[in-house]
């Protein structure tokens, strides 16, 4: 049963006219599905509902065709025709008692409109600011445009209500949302009543929320997501000015959703960001408002979560990546099974789905975004077929997951490892600078395997084909991994480098084995991911 220390995490909490069943709050996060794969996104959110989350949000949802961020693939609520798929999503979110939320976004200076070919509109006339540096200019919103934009938000709110959502999040964080563009001096160069002083720059968000309250506020909670600090000093929306803004508008939304800086700041990998890294930026803001606050920080430890609540820093525990790594995180805490939580390792492989406009994946949770397409469930697997046993060769991440999955399905499993430790590459890489959290991949699976009576592990067991066949296992899984090449052959260089035989040449494997170079070192990186930087 649940540890009483964590009871506070399961207290119901009001957000305006609606009540969340607990403090676990899945903040909006992208998934590579969007309008292209709404059924996959709906099933993914439904998995979290089953896992016990009290609040579940969509990713950012473009609410008008004059602001879209193609080639990136998010949700769309441009017209009534978009409602049925979004209702499918909200229904899945609410199946187990969670509140369903939709994040409405108007991207402004971040929307190149490559699909609709509309001229982008921004708070002030500026070149478009996108990941792909598109050579597009946005024109400044005039007074008629601002009135139209207010009306579009109201229309989107009404459509959200018709789609069955309980909550609306207005996106004004990470540099992406029109509300942040009005609030920040970096994007607001206006000299009229919408520019200059903080009170003027806050005018637009006040107007939109007032409009929405008139339209849907008696039935839906309205939340506002703002960045805690744009990290560009006085030029932008600093943490000091955020506090002034909250104090001046203490009752503006039904909940304050506090993110950090740019998107990269907010979702920094574990290499550079610890759990709860935003605590200092959030601390003290609750003294400026009586409305509940949700914040993020790659929370995986229930003890850290309780500390954030009891210290008065947060009211809700906001999670994106941890909710991906383990959709059943709340349920496991509730059932006293915290050792079964698949903790997020902060590798950000999930992010690549959004950045490459493809379905996302997760290092810890192989079922993420495959709940609908393949029918996979994060906590349940099909029982075994007519065969009864399996041999897994190699105890790296793949071998450990294969062993865990096979054992879960009911097979008798033998795990053979040539070395003396479990974890393979992770057992080595976890000792490199900044990568200690990656060890959770091995730790989780090692613990799960240790609880299975139908698994036997064998170390110092290097096998050849003849011995494998001799054992007579009905199923064989070969997961022997790979080594780094030392001849330079890789992505761009397809033939070995001509090298001086006397030149010391070390691979990442050599360095992880303890080799130490001396003198001047050149690192040749044709991998273009993380290893070159970590080696440096």
């Amino acid at each position: 049963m649940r540890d009483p220390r964590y009871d506070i995490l399961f207290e119901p909490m009001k957000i305006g006219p609606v009540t969340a069943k607990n403090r676990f709050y899945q903040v909006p996060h992208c998934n590579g599905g969007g309008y292209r794969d709404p059924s996959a996104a709906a099933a993914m959110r439904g998995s979290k509902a089953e896992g016990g989350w009290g609040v579940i949000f969509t990713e950012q949802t473009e609410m008008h065709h004059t602001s879209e961020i193609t080639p990136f693939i998010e949700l769309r609520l441009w017209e009534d025709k978009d409602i049925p798929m979004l209702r499918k999503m909200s229904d899945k979110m609410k199946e187990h008692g969670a509140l369903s939320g939709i994040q409405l976004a108007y991207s402004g200076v971040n929307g190149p409109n490559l699909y609709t070919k509309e001229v982008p509109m921004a708070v002030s006339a500026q070149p478009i600011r996108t990941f792909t540096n598109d050579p597009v200019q946005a024109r400044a919103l005039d007074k008629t445009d601002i009135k139209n934009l207010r009306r579009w938000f109201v229309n989107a709110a009404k459509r959200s209500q018709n789609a069955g959502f309980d909550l609306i999040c207005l996106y004004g964080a990470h540099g992406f949302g029109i509300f942040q563009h009005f609030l920040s001096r970096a994007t607001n160069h206006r000299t009229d009543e919408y520019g200059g002083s903080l009170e003027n720059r806050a005018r637009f968000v006040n107007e939109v929320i007032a409009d929405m309250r008139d339209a849907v506020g008696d039935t839906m909670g309205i939340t506002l997501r703002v960045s805690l600090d744009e990290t560009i000093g006085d030029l932008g929306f600093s943490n000091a000015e955020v506090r002034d803004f909250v104090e001046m508008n203490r009752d503006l939304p039904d909940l304050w959703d506090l993110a950090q800086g740019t998107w990269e700041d907010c979702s920094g990998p574990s290499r550079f960001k610890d759990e709860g890294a935003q605590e200092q930026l959030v601390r003290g803001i609750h003294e400026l408002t009586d409305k509940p606050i949700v914040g993020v920080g790659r929370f995986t430890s229930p003890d850290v979560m309780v500390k954030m609540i009891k210290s008065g820093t947060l009211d809700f525990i906001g999670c994106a990546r941890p909710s991906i790594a383990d959709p059943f995180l709340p349920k496991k805490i509730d059932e006293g099974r915290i050792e079964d939580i698949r903790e997020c390792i902060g590798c950000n492989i999930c992010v690549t789905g959004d950045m490459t406009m493809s379905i996302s994946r997760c290092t810890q949770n192989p079922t993420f975004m495959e709940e609908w397409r393949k029918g996979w469930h994060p906590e349940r697997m099909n029982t075994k077929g007519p065969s009864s046993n399996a041999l897994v060769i190699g105890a790296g991440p793949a071998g450990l997951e294969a062993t865990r999955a096979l054992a879960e399905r009911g097979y008798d499993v033998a795990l053979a490892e040539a070395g003396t430790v479990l974890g393979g590459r992770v057992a080595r890489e976890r000792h490199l600078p900044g990568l200690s959290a990656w060890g959770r991949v091995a730790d989780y699976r090692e613990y799960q395997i240790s609880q299975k009576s139908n698994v036997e592990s064998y170390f110092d067991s290097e096998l050849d084909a003849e011995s494998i066949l001799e054992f007579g296992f009905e199923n064989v899984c070969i997961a022997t991994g790979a080594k780094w090449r030392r001849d330079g052959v890789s992505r761009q260089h397809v033939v070995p480098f001509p090298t001086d035989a006397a030149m010391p040449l070390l691979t990442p494997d050599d360095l992880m084995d303890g080799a130490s170079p001396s003198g001047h070192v050149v690192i040749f990186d044709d991998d273009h991911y993380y290893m070159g930087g970590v080696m440096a």
Side-chain angles (χ1 to χ4, degrees):
M1 299 300 293
R2 183 170 77 220
D3 188 321
R5 291 177 299 167
Y6 307 138
D7 286 350
I8 195 171
L9 299 174
F10 294 88
E11 295 175 347
M13 291 290 297
K14 285 185 69 64
I15 306 174
V18 296
T19 301
K21 66 178 182 179
N22 59 39
R23 297 179 187 260
F24 292 96
Y25 192 114
Q26 183 248 279
V27 294
H29 73 73
C30 302
N31 51 77
Y35 65 84
R36 185 182 60 188
D37 292 288
S39 294
M44 177 266 290
R45 308 285 184 196
S47 174
K48 297 182 185 187
E50 186 184 352
W53 295 84
V55 178
I56 304 171
F57 266 92
T58 67
E59 65 265 40
Q60 70 180 81
T61 304
E62 298 168 353
M63 62 89 175
H64 200 265
H65 66 275
T66 58
S67 179
E68 49 91 7
I69 57 172
T70 300
F72 298 97
I73 301 167
E74 313 301 342
L75 286 173
R76 287 176 178 169
L77 185 53
W78 292 0
E79 54 188 344
D80 290 347
K81 291 177 183 178
D82 296 318
I83 291 175
M85 269 303 175
L86 288 169
R87 175 169 281 283
K88 181 177 181 179
M89 201 166 297
S90 70
D91 286 345
K92 280 289 186 183
M93 292 171 171
K94 295 192 292 186
E95 268 185 355
H96 298 272
L99 295 179
S100 63
I102 183 170
Q103 184 182 50
L104 297 180
Y106 193 86
S107 296
V109 77
N110 299 115
N113 294 347
L114 300 178
Y115 177 77
T116 62
K117 303 178 185 175
E118 296 279 356
V119 176
M121 293 186 289
V123 177
S124 299
Q126 282 184 288
I128 286 293
R129 304 167 75 169
T130 61
F131 289 118
T132 44
N133 298 308
D134 303 290
V136 180
Q137 176 78 14
R139 71 169 177 83
L141 291 158
D142 61 26
K143 298 293 180 61
T144 300
D145 296 326
I146 291 175
K147 288 180 181 178
N148 287 336
L149 187 50
R150 288 173 57 181
R151 175 167 52 85
W152 297 340
F153 269 109
V154 169
N155 290 341
K158 290 178 179 177
R159 288 185 176 122
S160 300
Q161 185 181 45
N162 290 337
F165 290 99
D166 303 302
L167 296 165
I168 290 173
C169 172
L170 298 178
Y171 195 17
H174 305 137
F176 287 149
I178 194 72
F179 302 103
Q180 182 175 349
H181 301 160
F182 270 100
L183 290 167
S184 171
R185 291 189 182 93
T187 45
N188 187 341
H189 310 148
R190 303 178 73 98
T191 57
D192 60 8
E193 67 268 34
Y194 290 97
S197 68
L198 179 57
E199 184 178 9
N200 281 357
R201 285 179 277 131
R203 187 180 307 277
F204 179 73
V205 67
N206 274 272
E207 291 175 339
V208 170
I209 291 180
D211 294 341
M212 282 191 170
R213 285 206 197 285
D214 289 340
V216 300
D218 58 336
T219 59
M220 302 182 72
I222 300 172
T223 77
L224 177 63
R225 191 164 220 202
V226 294
S227 278
L228 288 160
D229 196 326
E230 283 191 301
T231 63
I232 51 176
D234 293 337
L235 172 64
F237 201 40
S238 68
N239 190 251
E241 201 166 41
V242 168
R243 291 167 187 265
D244 291 341
F245 169 66
V246 173
E247 189 171 25
M248 288 168 56
N249 303 276
R250 57 187 308 125
D251 296 324
L252 180 61
D254 294 316
L255 172 141
W256 294 94
D257 182 343
L258 303 178
Q260 180 182 352
T262 64
W263 189 90
E264 295 91 339
D265 291 324
C266 198
S267 296
S270 56
R271 244 179 100 190
F272 308 115
K273 297 276 186 178
D274 294 327
E275 181 177 2
Q278 301 174 23
E279 182 179 0
Q280 292 299 323
L281 289 172
V282 180
R283 188 175 292 169
I285 289 183
H286 224 322
E287 299 170 12
L288 311 175
T289 177
D290 296 322
K291 299 295 185 178
I293 291 175
V294 64
V296 294
R298 198 168 46 82
F299 296 117
T300 60
S301 163
D303 295 304
V304 173
M305 297 175 190
V306 169
K307 174 191 166 191
M308 299 300 286
I309 302 296
K310 288 190 171 180
S311 66
T313 306
L314 298 176
D315 298 292
F316 286 92
I317 301 301
C319 294
R321 291 170 293 173
S323 76
I324 292 170
D326 198 332
F328 278 66
L329 185 151
K331 199 163 197 175
K332 290 175 180 177
I333 297 174
D334 191 28
E335 294 175 351
R337 298 191 295 120
I338 61 172
E339 68 278 358
D340 289 328
I341 294 172
R342 284 191 301 273
E343 294 180 282
C344 172
I345 69 170
C347 67
N348 281 11
I349 195 69
C350 56
V351 176
T352 65
D354 194 41
M355 294 300 178
T356 58
M357 291 68 79
S358 59
I359 287 289
S360 286
R361 66 191 69 196
C362 176
T363 301
Q364 282 284 59
N365 174 17
T367 69
F368 178 56
M369 290 303 288
E370 300 295 347
E371 300 90 348
W372 178 77
R373 187 162 67 169
K374 294 179 179 174
W376 288 355
H377 190 281
E379 296 298 309
R380 296 191 297 270
M381 302 190 75
N382 296 335
T383 55
K384 71 178 186 67
S387 57
S388 61
N389 59 57
L391 169 65
V392 178
I393 306 166
L400 290 175
E401 176 62 15
T403 300
R404 185 200 70 82
L406 288 164
E408 191 71 28
R409 294 183 62 189
Y411 290 96
D412 293 325
V413 186
L415 173 61
E417 165 57 38
T420 57
V421 295
L422 299 177
R425 55 176 282 196
V426 169
R428 297 148 64 86
E429 291 184 19
R430 70 188 303 173
H431 298 296
L432 294 174
L435 299 187
S436 60
W438 290 24
R440 296 172 180 172
V441 170
D443 293 342
Y444 167 76
R445 287 160 179 82
E446 183 173 357
Y447 174 77
Q448 296 300 319
I449 289 170
S450 74
Q451 304 304 298
K452 302 290 186 185
S453 59
N454 54 337
V455 175
E456 292 288 344
S457 298
Y458 301 92
F459 293 111
D460 293 316
S461 298
E462 188 169 343
L463 303 176
D464 57 21
E466 185 178 350
S467 58
I468 292 169
L469 293 172
E470 191 177 300
F471 287 133
F473 282 93
E474 294 169 281
N475 303 283
V476 178
C477 173
I478 299 177
T480 49
K483 304 270 187 208
W484 288 93
R485 294 182 68 133
R486 63 176 62 250
D487 59 6
V489 172
S490 188
R491 192 184 310 269
Q492 300 296 334
H493 295 271
V494 296
V495 294
F497 279 8
T499 54
D500 187 332
M503 182 180 70
L505 197 155
L506 302 170
T507 70
D509 289 316
D510 296 328
L511 294 169
M512 286 187 281
D513 284 337
S516 298
S518 60
H520 295 289
V521 177
V522 170
I523 295 178
F524 173 72
D525 177 18
D526 198 6
D527 178 54
H528 307 295
Y529 192 34
Y530 66 92
M531 187 56 79
V534 171
M535 285 294 143

